[in-house]
Amino acid sequence: VTYDANGGAGSVATQNYLYSYEFELPTANNFSKTGYILAGWATAPDGEKLYNAGQRVTALNADKNGSITLYAVWTEPEDVSYTLNQYFMNADGTYPTDVQGTTLYAAPNSTVTAPESADDRFFLDEEMSTMSVVVKADGSSVVNAYYERNKYNLVYHYEDMNGETTEVVPTYFGADLPAFSDHPSGEPLKNGYEFLGWTTVEGGPALDAPATMPTEELHLYPVYDPIEVTFIFNAGEGTFSDGKLYTRS
């Protein structure tokens, strides 16, 4: 039995078999043709496929001690499956480890790429992702796409000894708001006032700061309450004209 690549690449030496001996025909491991798959074997260069690649056969020729040439039959491949795994960053900046992959289809030996995020709150992390993969005919190809969350500026407005200033903290959307850190106490201090919390409106009384970062820049302003101080005026060894002890807050 002689095998002809029929326009493809690869070769297998002419084989001799016992007439009734069962043997396996060559597969794509032995022959290849760019952009095609080995469908099987024919007895003429332009003949129809008579045998599958890898098929086990006996007595291909009607005559004992005869010979036969088999020609590779090449066909354009149909699309095969590959898996797209999409990892969307958690609010704490880590990526999930387990995701449900999506099955997609493309031509064998074609190149597929990691897609951009359809959610504009995320963008493709090119360092983490498999940016391109050549699709294998056996359907085992995998594209891993990682999507990082957008960050937005959290701006704390407050006063220090130099006057009005800000602390700017880039923060992932959906994350818990990071604590104010420009003072060890974690609060913006103001002499004579108690800090109550943060508001989104300068001068506003409402403590309406969200718990998590929105998908836009967020400005926060401190809300204070004056500290009440009590002064007691004591006449000591003397007396006030009305004989009373005076207290003022």
Side-chain angles (χ1 to χ4, degrees), residues 12-246:
V12 172
T14 298
Q15 303 291 314
N16 295 310
Y17 303 102
L18 292 175
Y19 186 72
S20 60
Y21 179 79
E22 184 180 60
F23 60 96
E24 184 177 297
L25 297 178
T27 66
N29 292 331
N30 309 105
F31 295 91
S32 64
K33 184 177 181 180
T34 302
Y36 292 82
I37 59 173
L38 179 61
W41 298 94
T43 55
D46 57 354
E48 294 183 0
K49 183 185 74 171
L50 298 178
Y51 310 102
N52 293 323
Q55 182 176 337
R56 298 190 67 81
V57 295
T58 59
L60 294 179
N61 193 297
D63 299 322
K64 295 181 181 180
N65 300 317
S67 63
I68 187 172
T69 298
L70 296 180
Y71 297 87
V73 177
W74 301 102
T75 59
E76 293 185 355
E78 297 179 357
D79 287 353
V80 295
S81 64
Y82 70 95
T83 301
L84 171 63
N85 294 324
Q86 294 179 293
Y87 300 85
F88 288 86
M89 180 181 281
N90 299 317
D92 63 1
T94 64
Y95 283 107
T97 55
D98 296 318
V99 296
Q100 182 65 45
T102 301
T103 300
L104 301 175
Y105 294 87
N109 301 315
S110 64
T111 299
V112 293
T113 58
E116 297 291 337
S117 173
D119 186 338
D120 61 8
R121 299 174 303 171
F122 295 84
F123 63 93
L124 185 63
D125 185 339
E126 296 185 1
E127 292 186 2
M128 289 287 293
S129 299
T130 308
M131 293 306 296
S132 64
V133 167
V134 176
V135 177
K136 297 179 181 179
D138 62 4
S140 64
S141 299
V142 177
V143 175
N144 290 317
Y146 289 82
Y147 300 97
E148 186 174 344
R149 284 175 176 255
N150 289 336
K151 284 184 175 181
Y152 300 89
N153 284 336
L154 169 61
V155 184
Y156 285 112
H157 296 260
Y158 67 104
E159 293 183 6
D160 62 11
M161 63 182 64
N162 297 315
E164 293 185 1
T165 187
T166 58
E167 177 187 353
V168 181
V169 187
T171 305
Y172 289 121
F173 86 87
D176 292 340
L177 296 187
F180 176 79
S181 62
D182 273 8
H183 192 276
S185 68
E187 298 179 353
L189 302 183
K190 183 177 181 180
N191 287 334
Y193 291 85
E194 177 187 5
F195 173 70
L196 300 180
W198 298 96
T199 181
T200 57
V201 179
E202 186 174 9
L207 303 179
D208 59 356
T212 59
M213 190 67 192
T215 55
E216 61 183 356
E217 188 167 272
L218 176 62
H219 291 258
L220 295 180
Y221 304 86
V223 177
Y224 297 101
D225 190 36
I227 297 174
E228 186 175 276
V229 180
T230 300
F231 295 91
I232 298 176
F233 300 90
N234 195 317
E237 295 181 358
T239 59
F240 293 111
S241 61
D242 56 7
K244 295 181 179 181
L245 181 67
Y246 287 88

